[in-house]
Amino acid sequence: MSKITAAITAVGGYLPEFVLSNQVLETMVDTNDEWITTRTGIKERRILKEEGKGTSFLAIKAAENLIQKSGLDPKEIDLVIVATATPDMKAASTAAYTATQIGAINAFSYDLEAACSSFLFGMSTAAAYIESGRYKKILLIGADKNSSFINYKDRATCIIFGDGAGAVLFEPNNEGLGLQDELLRSNGEGREFLRAQYGGSSYPITADTFNEGSHYVFQDGKTVFKNAVFNMADVSERILKRNNLTNDDIQWLAAHQANKRIIDATANRINLEQEKVMMNIQKYGNTTSATLPLLLHDYESQLKKGDNIIFAAFGGGFTWGSIYFKWAYNS
Ligand code: UT7
């Protein structure tokens, strides 16, 4: 009997309507369009403005888009995973709320958190369940409302992040398509360089820390940048080598959209031409867990059955990795 592989069979996405452009940021902090564009590649990002709406709102919209496009019956979904670094609330699962709202009444669900690598690690989790034969339909959603923990007075972070969500459906495949190989890593020494220190269990928010703004995300950009460039390029190169692939065998690079210079460095390391590099950072900024599924959402019409895709991500923790994947359908 041929081995069951885990393929992506449908994609959906959602971006909130409000556009925060570089020009508007120029009026909020000491920055300018030229600096942001040349240092990051970002022109604008989307922000979820409505009060009381959190990450689940984005996740539900992305899932509904997938359901509507694919005709999937939500009652058939076995598992809903919401990959996110910004859950709606503490203690209550964002995925449980999302699953119920989309009508996935026969599914179990949970959140998966690995900062900007959440969706990449979620791909590994979803694929392992499918390959085991235990479940047949797994909805993996990457969603983040980053604006909920960004200080819009801190030019080092507010220019980078945006809100959004993307969803994919994993199903068994008997043609060998889907996830082929993965190389996933983490190093906890990285957490001091990218984190929201207060508001978690180590340091609950107090009136003083609130006034200091210590609950907002902090980033030592240079250190994170160096680690991201080295590690994302390193795992991508290694996964190619160990699968005997050259750049000619790869049709697409789907890399976490944190900074255009990091993506370019990864593409350069594996000698990939610009046309093969998926890019939407200019429109959405860094949407954390949503960058990879939103790339699939934006590029879906160009993907062909059998295309080889290298996924790569790097994020807080540190967490990082690369996945070699074969696309399963023409749209
Ligand atoms: O998704 C999770 C992983 N995250 C990442 O991968 C992000 C990694 N880091 C980065 O993308 C980059 O480090 C940043 C985009 C955050 C910053 O770019 P950089 O080239 O590393 O700039 P820098 O922090 O070294 O700052 C260079 C200069 C500084 O001025 P001086 O000291 O040279 O006079 C900063 O004060 O640019 C200044 N600067 C700004 N200027 C205008 C920093 N932020 C801004 C800004 N606008 N927004």
Side-chain angles (χ1 to χ4, degrees):
M1 210 176 79
S2 66
K3 184 179 172 273
I4 299 170
T5 50
I8 290 175
T9 56
V11 174
Y14 176 74
L15 279 314
E17 274 170 28
F18 184 84
V19 176
L20 179 58
S21 66
N22 290 352
Q23 286 70 24
V24 173
L25 279 169
E26 283 177 2
T27 68
M28 296 163 63
V29 288
D30 180 14
T31 191
N32 57 77
D33 175 51
E34 205 258 329
W35 191 96
I36 302 173
T37 307
T38 53
R39 298 288 179 125
T40 70
I42 303 168
K43 284 298 211 185
E44 55 189 43
R45 59 297 284 143
R46 301 297 186 93
I47 306 293
L48 178 59
K49 284 274 194 189
E50 291 92 330
E51 212 170 301
K53 289 186 173 152
T55 291
S56 64
F57 177 82
L58 303 166
I60 291 164
K61 289 279 192 191
E64 286 174 345
N65 178 245
L66 179 150
I67 289 165
Q68 179 255 319
K69 277 169 60 188
S70 64
L72 169 71
D73 178 355
K75 292 193 207 67
E76 290 182 3
I77 301 171
D78 299 305
L79 165 61
V80 176
I81 300 174
V82 173
T84 185
T86 54
D88 281 5
M89 297 171 187
K90 292 205 173 82
S93 160
T94 301
Y97 183 74
T98 302
T100 299
Q101 291 299 309
I102 62 169
I105 54 171
N106 296 312
F108 73 111
S109 52
Y110 57 85
D111 299 347
L112 189 155
E113 203 279 310
C116 291
S117 304
S118 300
F119 185 85
L120 188 85
F121 289 10
M123 290 176 71
S124 164
T125 307
Y129 275 127
I130 295 285
E131 287 160 7
S132 76
R134 209 184 310 173
Y135 302 113
K136 301 273 184 275
K137 289 188 195 297
I138 300 179
L139 188 65
L140 172 64
I141 307 170
D144 269 303
K145 185 184 168 187
N146 288 314
S147 59
S148 64
F149 72 171
I150 294 296
N151 179 356
Y152 284 93
K153 291 185 176 142
D154 176 11
R155 69 176 183 174
T157 51
C158 74
I159 57 134
I160 296 168
F161 293 96
D163 303 337
V168 301
L169 182 68
F170 272 89
E171 290 188 277
N173 184 281
N174 53 22
E175 295 178 278
L177 302 170
L179 195 143
Q180 307 295 306
D181 193 16
E182 64 182 38
L183 197 46
L184 309 179
R185 293 287 181 271
S186 60
N187 179 355
E189 285 173 13
R191 85 168 173 178
E192 68 182 277
F193 305 110
L194 176 51
R195 64 183 174 184
Q197 189 167 352
Y198 283 81
S201 57
S202 299
Y203 305 103
I205 298 177
T206 64
D208 284 347
T209 62
F210 181 81
N211 290 332
E212 286 161 10
S214 315
H215 54 294
Y216 291 124
V217 78
F218 156 84
Q219 174 168 243
D220 171 349
K222 256 193 186 359
T223 305
V224 177
F225 184 90
K226 270 190 229 151
N227 279 276
V229 167
F230 177 81
N231 287 307
M232 244 165 68
D234 178 60
V235 286
S236 301
E237 190 178 34
R238 281 165 57 194
I239 209 158
L240 253 69
K241 266 197 190 131
R242 80 178 189 191
N243 287 281
N244 298 316
L245 298 166
T246 70
N247 54 336
D248 287 340
D249 301 313
I250 303 302
Q251 279 71 45
W252 299 101
L253 172 68
H256 173 53
Q257 307 282 294
N259 186 317
K260 183 174 183 300
R261 290 184 290 145
I262 300 174
I263 303 162
D264 289 343
T266 305
N268 285 341
R269 178 78 83 86
I270 55 174
N271 294 318
L272 221 57
E273 305 87 320
Q274 273 300 316
E275 314 83 75
K276 294 180 172 180
V277 181
M278 294 186 193
M279 195 79 76
N280 60 16
I281 190 170
Q282 68 284 3
K283 296 189 284 183
Y284 313 139
N286 180 350
T287 55
T288 305
S289 316
T291 63
L292 298 182
L294 280 174
L295 284 173
L296 297 178
H297 180 61
D298 283 4
Y299 281 82
E300 187 185 23
S301 62
Q302 297 179 54
L303 302 178
K304 303 260 174 314
K305 185 174 176 180
D307 275 0
N308 288 328
I309 306 175
I310 297 295
F311 288 90
F314 182 89
F318 293 137
T319 54
W320 72 97
S322 184
I323 286 179
Y324 161 37
F325 204 89
K326 277 187 185 290
W327 196 245
Y329 65 97
N330 300 314
S331 50

